[in-house]
Amino acid sequence: MSLSQEPQKPQLAPQSPSQFAPDEPGRFPGWRNLPRRSRGLSLRTLVILRWMAIAGQSATIGVATLYFHFDLPLWGCLAAIAASVAMNLNATERLKRTDGSLPDGGLTAAHLGFDILQLSVLLGLTGGLQNPFCLLLVAPVTVAAASLPGRQAALMGLLVLAATVSLFFVSLPLPWQAGTELNLPPLYKFGIGLALVTGVIFTSAYAWRVAADAEKLELALATTQDVLQREQRLAALGGLAAAAAHELGTPLATIQVVAKELLRASPRDGPAAEDAALILQQAERCRDILKRLSQQPEEGESAFAEVGLKALLEEVVEPHRGFDLEFEVSVRTGSGEPAPRVRRLPEVIHGLSTLVENAADFAATKVRVRAIVDAGFIEIEVVDDGPGFPADILPRLGEPYVTSRPQGKARRALSAQIAASVAAATPGRKGKKATKSQPAPETIAPSQGGMGLGFFIARTLLERTGGKVFVGPGDGGQTPAKGQTAVKGSPKGARVAVRWPRPALEVSS
């Protein structure tokens, strides 16, 4: 997610047909995206659900026959229940041969379709839409909407719709007490069918939406975990490089001493002297490489596990300099005390880098990164002078898959530099008069439109370290001078602040 957004309609990056496209605000997902969301239920879960349905159907028929003495078509009802029992026994045998804990979309659709048909037969034998238990037709469609891909879930809905229409026209009379007959008017039966169809549509759409949101959140959390693991691997790699440089220093020094002795003992112009000089040269090169490796370890040495607060801010800002933006980095402490030393955590580095990158993408001329140190907290704020947060995006900042990100400023500048280099490297032909300069074709920069996870990941990582993220309008990247007010209508930019309790970030002395 970006920190600030252009007021015009966002330009979304094209989605490949094989990718899952998150829903856009105010739009329904395309039909082609529906089948790529869920994986179905496990066979074990389906067996358990059907045993529960068999127990409920058997108890209902038993109570209606033995207690209320309703004249039911008992053998037909028992045959429908026996078919369900046979289906479940077959599924139980399959469980013994395969791993029933894995979800299977096709198998789930087949079992739910059977349940719909079996329940429809039972309802047809016991009154059709006049039977109050026709409401149970909603259950299989709800399960399908929550667990199946779109086409299969829609197929289950159509099957229930067909069953409802069939029960309206074809069904046995509703069983009632002996000597009486209950006949409901057709208009009432039509109302029950319409209510059933409406319930199916509403509950399935609700279950689909909830399942889709849960899956997107799960994917976003998994992405966050992957980012954190990558940062930790990079940190471990830096520590390993420092340890290797330290361990290799001693044998490399021994090689240099022996090579110097060989050079001193060999004739000046002999081949042995040349070999010894080559060994010395390459050993010195290895020492330079090891020195560079040991100068920038990211973890493993206490000297690099903590940094000054100003140095931390400079490290975060440095990759974004050089693209026609002014970066102001400052640290403000109370009572003139020195800036504290803080822990160099991978979560903090990645989270703050994302915030600065987003601010740089939307800033017009300036980005301010400032740390405020108080007695009880350390706050780092990132303020840009861009268009700021739109009112419709601000309440949803921090949610996954909420994005309206334009092409990044860094990528636009890089593309312009490449285009200028190509133009400079292609001189005009000799002998031809200079033609009137044509306007340069518009440079197409690589799209930086993402899935809307940047700010979500940054906030998750920063809150994992004990910080709390605040967002709001900025001050245009600079605080107005005393007695001055901001120009009305000028962009105030966006402000994102992260506040930690001092013990969570500061290194205790």
Side-chain angles (χ1 to χ4, degrees):
M1 167 180 288
S2 56
L3 292 182
S4 55
Q5 303 189 357
E6 299 289 347
Q8 64 268 19
K9 184 177 180 179
Q11 299 294 328
L12 300 176
Q15 300 285 344
S16 64
S18 61
Q19 293 175 332
F20 170 73
D23 294 347
E24 303 173 32
R27 295 183 60 183
F28 294 101
W31 176 260
R32 63 169 58 94
N33 293 328
L34 295 181
R36 288 185 281 273
R37 186 182 52 80
S38 302
R39 299 176 295 275
L41 299 177
S42 65
L43 184 58
R44 182 174 290 109
T45 301
L46 293 170
V47 169
I48 294 174
L49 291 176
R50 183 171 291 111
W51 282 128
M52 294 172 59
I54 290 172
Q57 293 170 0
S58 302
T60 303
I61 291 177
V63 170
T65 303
L66 301 177
Y67 183 77
F68 291 105
H69 304 290
F70 288 168
D71 186 15
L72 292 174
L74 190 59
W75 292 110
C77 294
L78 292 179
I81 296 177
S84 186
V85 172
M87 183 75 170
N88 234 24
L89 291 177
N90 179 63
T92 304
E93 287 298 323
R94 183 173 178 175
L95 272 177
K96 298 177 181 179
R97 302 191 303 267
T98 59
D99 185 6
S101 61
L102 298 178
D104 189 332
L107 187 63
T108 302
H111 278 257
L112 291 178
F114 172 82
D115 292 336
I116 293 173
L117 294 176
Q118 189 261 356
L119 182 57
S120 300
V121 170
L122 273 179
L123 291 172
L125 293 172
T126 56
L129 294 183
Q130 298 181 80
N131 191 327
F133 288 100
C134 66
L135 181 65
L136 293 176
L137 285 172
V138 176
V141 185
T142 304
V143 174
S147 60
L148 286 180
R151 289 184 177 89
Q152 296 174 351
L155 181 61
M156 296 299 103
L158 292 176
L159 189 58
V160 168
L161 179 60
T164 303
V165 175
S166 300
L167 290 174
F168 179 81
F169 292 103
V170 181
S171 66
L172 296 180
L174 178 67
W176 205 246
Q177 295 177 349
T180 60
E181 184 177 351
L182 180 63
N183 287 321
L184 298 177
L187 182 60
Y188 186 81
K189 291 173 58 178
F190 176 78
I192 293 178
L194 183 61
L196 180 60
V197 172
T198 304
V200 166
I201 295 175
F202 176 79
T203 54
S204 59
Y206 180 80
W208 174 273
R209 184 71 262 175
V210 171
D213 289 344
E215 183 170 301
K216 289 194 292 185
L217 182 59
E218 180 184 358
L219 177 60
L221 291 175
T223 306
T224 302
Q225 190 65 30
D226 290 343
V227 170
L228 180 58
Q229 289 177 356
R230 183 184 63 184
E231 293 291 336
Q232 291 173 341
R233 286 196 297 268
L234 290 176
L237 183 62
L240 181 62
H246 177 73
E247 294 295 332
L248 292 175
T250 301
L252 188 60
T254 303
I255 292 173
Q256 286 183 307
V257 171
V258 174
K260 288 180 181 178
E261 294 295 332
L262 289 175
L263 182 62
R264 190 177 298 112
S266 301
R268 182 176 297 274
D269 296 328
E274 294 180 1
D275 292 342
L278 180 60
I279 293 174
L280 276 176
Q281 179 185 0
Q282 296 302 316
E284 188 63 31
R285 182 184 176 190
C286 289
R287 182 172 291 278
D288 292 339
I289 295 174
L290 294 178
K291 184 178 179 181
R292 289 197 300 269
L293 288 175
S294 62
Q295 282 177 345
Q296 295 180 344
E298 294 184 20
E299 194 165 330
E301 297 289 341
S302 60
F304 293 94
E306 58 185 63
V307 294
L309 184 55
K310 181 71 176 292
L312 178 69
L313 300 184
E314 291 288 352
E315 179 182 356
V316 169
V317 169
E318 184 60 31
H320 308 286
R321 295 185 186 274
F323 294 104
D324 299 329
L325 281 179
E326 176 188 355
F327 285 89
E328 177 187 331
V329 180
S330 61
V331 177
R332 191 181 73 186
T333 59
S335 305
E337 61 177 331
R341 295 185 65 81
V342 296
R343 297 180 180 87
R344 191 185 179 281
L345 302 174
E347 298 94 328
V348 174
I349 297 295
H350 183 88
L352 292 179
S353 296
T354 300
L355 300 184
V356 173
E357 178 185 357
N358 288 343
D361 283 343
F362 289 94
T365 58
K366 183 176 182 181
V367 175
R368 185 183 72 220
V369 181
R370 180 173 64 175
I372 303 174
V373 182
D374 204 343
F377 65 85
I378 296 177
E379 180 176 300
I380 297 177
E381 65 174 10
V382 180
V383 184
D384 63 69
D385 60 351
F389 297 116
D392 59 332
I393 294 295
L394 190 58
R396 297 187 293 132
L397 274 177
E399 297 179 9
Y401 303 102
V402 177
T403 180
S404 178
R405 187 186 187 93
Q407 294 174 349
K409 186 181 294 293
R411 297 196 178 198
R412 292 199 304 267
L414 180 60
S415 179
Q417 293 173 6
I418 293 175
S421 301
V422 172
T426 310
R429 295 181 179 178
K430 294 182 179 181
K432 283 195 173 184
K433 295 183 180 180
T435 58
K436 185 178 180 181
S437 61
Q438 299 291 333
E442 182 180 359
T443 305
I444 302 177
S447 173
Q448 197 166 333
M451 295 185 68
L453 294 177
F455 187 79
F456 171 78
I457 293 175
R459 191 190 69 171
T460 302
L461 294 177
L462 293 171
E463 289 181 349
R464 184 169 181 169
T465 63
K468 190 172 182 181
V469 181
F470 304 90
V471 296
D475 52 18
Q478 57 184 358
T479 304
K482 190 173 181 180
Q484 295 181 351
T485 58
V487 179
K488 187 175 181 181
S490 61
K492 292 187 176 181
R495 175 181 181 271
V496 180
V498 189
R499 177 177 293 188
W500 293 268
R502 287 191 67 161
L505 199 61
E506 185 178 11
V507 177
S508 56
S509 56

